[in-house]
Amino acid sequence: MPTRARTLLRTPLLRTPLLVAALLPVVALAACAGGGAASSTTDAATTGSPAATSSAAAYPVTVDNCGTEVTLDAPPERIVTIKSSTTEMVAALGLADRLVGTAFSDGPAPEPWADELADVPVLSDKVPGQEALLEVEPDLVYAGWESNFAPDAAGDRAALAQLGIGTYVSPSACKAEGYQPDPLTFEAVFDEIRETGALLGAPEAAEDVVADQRATLDAVEPLNGPTAVWWSSGTDTPYVGAGIGAPQMMLGAAGLENVFADVHDTWSSVGWEQVVAADPDVLVLVDSAWNSADKKRDLLAANPATAQLTAVREGRYVVVPFAASEAGVRNADTVADLVEQVRALGLGG
């Protein structure tokens, strides 16, 4: 077995048959601003993205994922995804047939993936417990949030590694210093797509997805700066899109001015009085099963303070599915959709 060229770990990850002590010739991928990179071996002959390095997937693949080293010595064949963003990433790469379970769905899958995901077993409406996870014998669990791997959730990452199960967290969701994107950009999202493609053995498909997303963004004619509040969840205290996460990334690309762009966070709790004082031109309502856009409209109309907002009085609402509000393969289309919806309201030039 090749010897380790260098160690990426901040916290050692126990090795398993899936997690081998070798690094592949994959160039560093900036999946998280300032971190979340893939490593290279001394015998790597070229640099560049995985698709540029080779027309076929090369294994073993090692990435530094939110501070945990993840090494796969072959393409995973039995994948469990937690959160819609990860399920849709696998489907976008053309690998839905490798899914043996999904969990914590944020809503129905959109076209063109709805049919191929329809028959994938749903392990849990929320984060699956370890028993449900182990029943389907995954070789990789791909999660949307680091917290999905808590000991009382799907399981600790090191413990799962001891069982021969690889783990991977969406790099855009990394929270540790040096790994959290600050701010999240579309280039970071594209790097995440490439890194995921390298791990799953689909680098060429990843490049195709990135090319499609770039084309979608290039076709967008940004708005002329209407102000907006991105209301994700919460009722008494709204939880809104802040200045460094996916909502800000999409609002900025659409040409909308985020009222809470100066809040240094991905999402943040604010007071309704702050929303009222800003009186945004548009309210972006995130639609989820637990806090639907219709419920949000009703709450805004019933609250005497928010009922006086210009956007409420004039019905200036834009709706975004929850699954499209997190970093992933829906973001570029969401930018185009934001622009279309705002222009349909007669705003934005």
Side-chain angles (χ1 to χ4, degrees), residues 221-303:
E221 295 183 16
L223 304 162
N224 63 6
T227 58
V229 168
W230 181 292
W231 181 16
S232 181
S233 61
T235 52
D236 294 339
T237 301
Y239 197 55
V240 303
I244 67 170
Q248 173 59 32
M249 176 184 73
M250 290 183 278
L251 289 171
L256 285 158
E257 181 183 341
N258 182 5
V259 166
F260 296 106
D262 60 345
V263 178
H264 192 258
D265 207 343
T266 50
W267 286 264
S268 181
S269 296
V270 300
W272 280 119
E273 64 276 8
Q274 294 171 270
V275 177
V276 171
D279 196 19
D281 296 316
V282 175
L283 287 165
V284 179
L285 308 182
V286 176
D287 190 39
S288 64
W290 59 91
N291 198 319
S292 69
D294 286 341
K295 181 179 178 181
K296 288 181 170 74
R297 288 190 187 94
D298 291 343
L299 287 168
L300 289 164
N303 183 324

Side-chain angles (χ1 to χ4, degrees), residues 5-31:
R6 63 187 177 97
T7 300
L8 289 172
L9 282 175
R10 294 183 177 181
T11 303
L13 179 67
L14 297 175
R15 312 306 289 174
T16 71
L18 269 177
L19 306 180
V20 294
L23 306 180
L24 96 154
V26 173
V27 50
L29 297 173

